[in-house]
Amino acid sequence: MNSRLDAALNDTPKSIADYLRSLFNSENFDATISAQQFEELLVLSGLSDDELRICLLPFAAAYSYAPISEFYVGSIVRGLSGRLYFGANMEFIGAQMSQTVHAEQCGISHAWMKGETGIIDITVNYSPCGHCRQFMNELTTANELKVQLPERDEMSLQQYLPDSFGPADLDIDARLMDGKTKSYQTHESDPLVLKAVEALNYSHAPYSENHSGVALRLADGSVYLGSYAENAAFNPSLPPLQVALAQILMADKSFEQIDTAALAELSAGKISNLDGTQSTLDALNPDITFTYISL
Ligand code: THU
Ligand code: ZN
């Protein structure tokens, strides 16, 4: 078990500490809690739904990678399936500040890459910044989404973002997490490049049409994918590398284990994720082998 998860167990109610310890110790624990497990925790703890989510926040924040701020943010995102996904903030020394991933973006991209098509609620240990509120306004469920903070009443995203700007203002029907896929193909045979194309086909890029995806292979042979999550306000877009790194963080693996990277994007796209991907990978570790393919 991650030692920070272990430390957070000391502050959790006794009624659920044993259950959580065995969950976190289980080999298939992947920083998610199924609807059924959450139900069992509700019964054991006697807490209400929101109280239990708040009580679980330190476990999400335990994943935070924040070497710049040392400010540990955790999020818990509930997908439409009822499963809960942890997320945490990520900062990269030596990279551009804009490459930072907020806990909300991490949790949402975690749920998205594991196949969710919308989120019911998000619980965060600090108030979501303006950038995150805008990022969430791109979601399929932006109009229903609820936000829960410790010691606050639940509020909707739209209450946190009055007079919101979003995809409809640009006449765009696509939404982040809508599950729609593209079917671009390549003649390349490199398996990691094929994985990057798979991630490209799952991306949300209705503004630039630069569908793009990243695949990262670790030294242990495991592969993590990231699809580009574009935003109507452009700047809050989450690049595909960030989404892939979020999956590595939530798999409790280290960025030092990244051995090979592939980025696939469309040559007809109106922007490119090449420079940002290369420079952040370089800041992480200049020895990572990088392949780029433009379709
Ligand atoms: N942070 C979040 O994760 N979510 C927010 O909405 C507020 C800020 C993170 C970003 C950065 O890693 C650190 O907190 C300091 O801003
Ligand atoms: Zn934020």
Side-chain angles (χ1 to χ4, degrees):
M1 190 196 318
N2 170 326
S3 61
R4 287 194 287 165
L5 281 177
D6 202 20
L9 277 171
N10 294 327
D11 301 321
T12 218
K14 282 208 167 18
S15 54
I16 53 173
D18 287 344
Y19 186 104
L20 290 173
R21 184 173 293 107
S22 93
L23 177 67
F24 299 151
N25 271 323
S26 110
E27 220 182 288
N28 2 340
F29 180 67
D30 66 348
T32 74
I33 295 179
S34 72
Q36 193 194 328
Q37 288 165 339
F38 189 75
E39 202 55 50
E40 287 166 11
L41 285 163
L42 280 173
V43 172
L44 278 174
S45 65
L47 296 173
S48 63
D49 193 291
D50 55 323
E51 287 167 342
L52 177 57
R53 279 180 282 129
I54 288 163
C55 176
L56 292 171
L57 274 176
F59 301 107
Y63 285 81
S64 163
Y65 177 75
I68 300 173
S69 67
E70 294 178 16
F71 184 70
Y72 305 120
V73 189
S75 73
I76 300 177
V77 164
R78 178 159 30 204
L80 289 177
S81 73
R83 184 174 284 274
L84 296 126
Y85 299 81
F86 289 179
N89 60 328
M90 306 160 56
E91 303 169 352
F92 309 107
I93 286 188
Q96 288 175 311
M97 205 62 153
S98 60
Q99 303 290 301
T100 306
V101 178
H102 290 210
E104 296 86 331
Q105 296 178 303
C106 179
I108 290 165
S109 68
H110 185 197
W112 180 41
M113 294 313 289
K114 287 185 176 162
E116 294 286 348
T117 54
I119 71 175
I120 298 169
D121 51 43
I122 182 164
T123 310
V124 203
N125 55 353
Y126 296 99
S127 185
C129 75
H131 168 107
C132 285
R133 297 176 196 198
Q134 186 65 51
F135 182 79
M136 295 191 281
N137 206 35
E138 193 74 18
L139 291 165
T140 49
T141 51
N143 289 334
E144 301 82 46
L145 176 55
K146 302 282 191 247
V147 179
Q148 180 71 58
L149 301 181
E151 288 159 32
R152 290 268 209 307
D153 288 339
E154 176 187 274
M155 295 214 297
S156 69
L157 172 64
Q158 299 307 321
Q159 285 173 298
Y160 275 101
L161 193 66
D163 296 325
S164 69
F165 175 81
D169 292 302
L170 295 174
D171 286 330
I172 291 293
D173 294 328
R175 294 290 182 274
L176 182 57
M177 292 182 92
D178 64 15
K180 298 219 174 85
T181 53
K182 301 283 170 191
S183 42
Y184 292 98
Q185 289 179 345
T186 172
H187 296 297
E188 297 273 334
S189 56
D190 177 345
L192 200 66
V193 169
L194 294 176
K195 283 289 184 191
V197 173
E198 183 184 320
L200 175 158
N201 281 319
Y202 194 59
S203 65
H204 169 76
Y207 311 102
S208 70
E209 287 292 342
N210 182 38
H211 290 281
S212 39
V214 161
L216 301 174
R217 186 165 52 228
L218 306 192
D220 64 8
S222 56
V223 171
Y224 294 89
L225 303 190
S227 300
Y228 180 32
E230 207 161 69
N231 187 277
F234 290 19
N235 299 73
S237 300
L238 191 62
L241 176 65
Q242 268 59 20
V243 175
L245 292 171
Q247 311 315 305
I248 292 179
L249 188 78
M250 301 326 292
D252 204 17
K253 301 215 176 155
S254 142
F255 304 135
E256 280 163 29
Q257 294 176 48
I258 303 171
D259 174 275
T260 318
L263 164 67
E265 66 180 359
L266 299 185
S267 53
K270 294 183 188 115
I271 59 136
S272 171
N273 282 311
L274 177 57
D275 283 356
T277 305
Q278 266 180 319
S279 64
T280 302
L281 281 173
D282 229 34
L284 282 172
N285 172 5
D287 295 332
I288 296 170
T289 308
F290 177 62
T291 312
Y292 173 67
I293 169 179
S294 138
L295 303 179

